[in-house]
């Protein structure tokens, strides 16, 4: 195989306009700003309204990522949308392709919940490595507000909506330095958004299940335990593949689930607080969007600079978890 490298050459993000802060949540469920802030670090989240769409948000984030890469949508070979909340169960990537006018690009959805961005980044990289495609748009976007039980105080306080995107391109030197991906379906029961088909009799003796989904169901304690144990391990593995040590990481971008998880993971890895990117106070857990959203903000704020080494790690439903170590820019 040819020795083709990968570079992440641009990023973009988009958020819906509507805010919901913790105080407003107290009108919906028995909770308090103090409880939510101390247990999670989240202060507010953004929510899409009825007329906004996942593909609209994702298109906006994509346009910014494409512009910051200095390419045009028509140059894209591939678009991967990591999402668990498409506008269309058949997939929303093609709608984004159309909205971007990226007529050459093949487009498809990838589902790996809150690990979706890391799984998608690695998937996108394989197409470039093999020489099949050169320019790939990788989007992480979710609108979990559509699927949360707003009467369940154990989950509704956590989630928000958003979209983030990056452009990956074939490059002389390889900037994707190492990765590791993991899945464990035996723990699926701890976090899911399950289809619960309604029994329907079509004809005497012919039964089908009519499409219906339960809201997000979660065992918070188990998910917390899983994240704090497995995320440091997977980052260690990815660092090993990258032939790097933990002190060579400039920035840690974890899936923005809970500040206590971010702190515990950083502590276990011995990564100082100033290297940990956190924006969950503003947006809550935006699922597949959280890593590219945090990355894009940090790049635009001038924190992450060309050649900085970033360790990104996603974790969540499946259960799935993974880490990718990359150097920003060409
Ligand atoms: N407001 C006030 N009280 C709440 C509450 C809320 N929103 N949610 C739960 N409580 C109560 C519980 O009923 C419980 O009361 P009890 O002791 O009288 O039974 C008490 O607070 C403690 O609940 P518990 O579930 O043990 O809290 P916790 O410390 O585990 O925190 C989470 C709950 C959800 C914040 C935490 O478990 C977590 O963040 N887990 C990871 C979840 C996650 O990140 N999921 C997405 C991964 S992609």
């Amino acid at each position: 195989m040819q020795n083709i490298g990968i570079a992440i050459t641009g990023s973009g993000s988009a958020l819906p306009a509507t805010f919901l802060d913790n105080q407003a949540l107290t009108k919906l469920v028995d909770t308090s700003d103090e409880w939510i802030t101390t247990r999670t670090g989240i202060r507010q989240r953004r929510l899409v309204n009825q007329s906004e769409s996942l593909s609209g948000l994702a298109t906006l984030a994509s346009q910014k990522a494409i512009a910051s890469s200095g390419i045009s949508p028509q140059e894209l070979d591939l678009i991967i949308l990591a999402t668990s909340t498409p506008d269309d169960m058949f997939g929303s990537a093609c709608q984004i392709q159309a909205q971007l006018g990226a007529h050459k690009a093949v487009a498809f959805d990838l589902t790996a919940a809150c690990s979706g961005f890391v799984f998608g980044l690695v998937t996108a990289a394989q197409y470039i490595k093999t020489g099949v495609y050169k320019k790939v748009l990788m989007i992480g976007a979710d609108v979990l507000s559509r699927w949360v039980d707003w009467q369940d105080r154990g989950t509704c306080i956590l989630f928000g909506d958003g979209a983030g995107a990056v452009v990956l391109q074939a490059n002389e030197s390889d900037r994707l330095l190492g990765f590791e991906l993991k899945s464990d379906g035996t723990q699926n029961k701890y976090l899911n958004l399950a289809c619960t088909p309604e029994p329907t009799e079509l004809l005497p003796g012919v039964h089908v299940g009519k499409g219906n989904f339960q809201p997000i169901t979660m065992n918070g304690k188990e998910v917390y335990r899983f994240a704090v144990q497995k995320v440091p391990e997977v980052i260690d593995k990815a660092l090993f593949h990258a032939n790097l040590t933990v002190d060579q990481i400039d920035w840690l971008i974890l899936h923005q689930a809970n500040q206590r998880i971010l702190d515990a993971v950083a502590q276990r890895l011995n990564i100082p607080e100033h290297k940990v990117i956190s924006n969950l106070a503003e947006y809550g857990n935006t699922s597949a969007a959280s890593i590219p959203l945090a990355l894009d903000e940090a790049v635009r704020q001038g924190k992450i600079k060309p050649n900085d080494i970033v360790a990104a790690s996603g974790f969540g439903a499946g259960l799935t978890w993974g880490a990718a170590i990359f150097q920003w820019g060409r």
Side-chain angles (χ1 to χ4, degrees):
M1 199 185 291
Q2 310 154 52
N3 203 6
I4 302 171
I6 292 142
I8 305 177
T9 56
S11 64
S13 57
L15 291 154
T18 307
F19 289 84
L20 185 74
D21 65 16
N22 292 347
Q23 201 53 46
L25 265 176
T26 66
K27 296 182 186 128
L28 278 176
V29 287
D30 181 13
T31 190
S32 66
D33 176 38
E34 204 255 332
W35 194 96
I36 302 171
T37 309
T38 52
R39 302 276 175 137
T40 71
I42 299 164
R43 294 188 180 278
Q44 60 178 24
R45 63 288 293 144
R46 303 283 193 98
L47 308 177
V48 292
N49 63 33
Q50 221 182 322
S51 61
E52 289 171 308
S53 65
L54 182 281
S55 53
L57 262 190
T59 300
L60 216 58
S62 301
Q63 284 164 336
K64 294 179 190 168
I66 292 165
S68 78
S69 281
I71 64 166
S72 74
Q74 293 74 30
E75 292 175 65
L76 290 171
D77 301 305
L78 171 66
I79 298 170
I80 300 178
L81 168 67
T83 190
S84 307
T85 53
D87 296 324
D88 179 339
M89 287 274 283
F90 287 149
S92 286
C94 295
Q95 287 167 271
I96 297 165
Q97 180 238 28
Q99 285 169 36
L100 290 172
H103 50 78
K104 191 177 80 173
V106 64
F108 63 86
D109 289 24
L110 176 153
T111 304
C114 302
S115 307
F117 182 77
V118 170
F119 278 45
L121 192 75
V122 171
T123 303
Q126 306 315 304
Y127 284 98
I128 298 176
K129 273 260 166 228
T130 53
V132 179
Y133 297 133
K134 289 191 171 59
K135 293 178 185 174
V136 183
L137 174 67
M138 174 58 227
I139 311 159
D142 266 308
V143 290
L144 281 175
S145 65
R146 288 178 178 168
W147 298 102
V148 159
D149 176 356
W150 288 101
Q151 303 305 314
D152 174 11
R153 67 177 183 172
T155 52
C156 75
I157 55 150
L158 297 174
F159 300 103
D161 303 334
V166 296
V167 171
L168 288 89
Q169 295 191 55
N171 197 51
E172 225 163 83
S173 64
D174 195 2
R175 300 306 188 105
L176 178 61
L177 308 173
F179 67 84
E180 178 82 9
L181 306 178
K182 292 281 188 185
S183 304
D184 179 4
T186 67
Q187 298 192 66
N188 179 268
K189 59 180 178 288
Y190 294 139
L191 180 56
N192 58 43
L193 207 179
C195 184
T196 47
E198 273 173 37
T200 308
E201 189 170 36
L202 281 187
L203 293 166
V206 182
H207 300 267
V208 291
K210 190 165 172 284
N212 186 45
F213 282 85
Q214 263 190 340
I216 295 172
T217 309
M218 182 181 76
N219 180 327
K221 278 207 184 314
E222 289 297 340
V223 174
Y224 188 94
R225 215 192 318 267
F226 143 77
V228 168
Q229 188 199 343
K230 295 296 184 186
V231 173
E233 281 177 19
V234 86
I235 293 173
D236 262 340
K237 274 272 172 63
L239 280 170
F240 173 77
H241 297 315
N243 202 17
L244 292 173
T245 55
V246 78
D247 50 294
Q248 289 174 283
I249 295 174
D250 294 304
W251 302 103
L252 178 67
I253 307 185
L254 299 181
H255 164 50
Q256 306 283 299
N258 180 322
Q259 189 61 44
R260 283 158 58 215
I261 295 177
L262 269 58
D263 294 343
V265 170
Q267 200 179 359
R268 283 197 182 197
L269 288 168
N270 230 347
I271 296 178
E273 205 185 314
H274 70 268
K275 291 186 174 183
V276 182
I277 307 268
S278 173
N279 65 3
L280 59 81
E282 301 299 312
Y283 311 126
N285 176 344
T286 57
S287 192
S290 88
I291 293 174
L293 195 56
L295 173 71
D296 182 52
E297 279 196 357
V299 168
R300 285 173 198 273
Q301 287 163 358
K303 281 186 180 171
I304 297 180
K305 298 189 180 61
N307 298 321
D308 279 359
I309 293 175
V310 179
S313 179
F315 54 89
L319 299 180
T320 53
W321 63 108
I325 317 289
F326 58 85
Q327 212 163 2
W328 179 250
R330 277 185 190 275

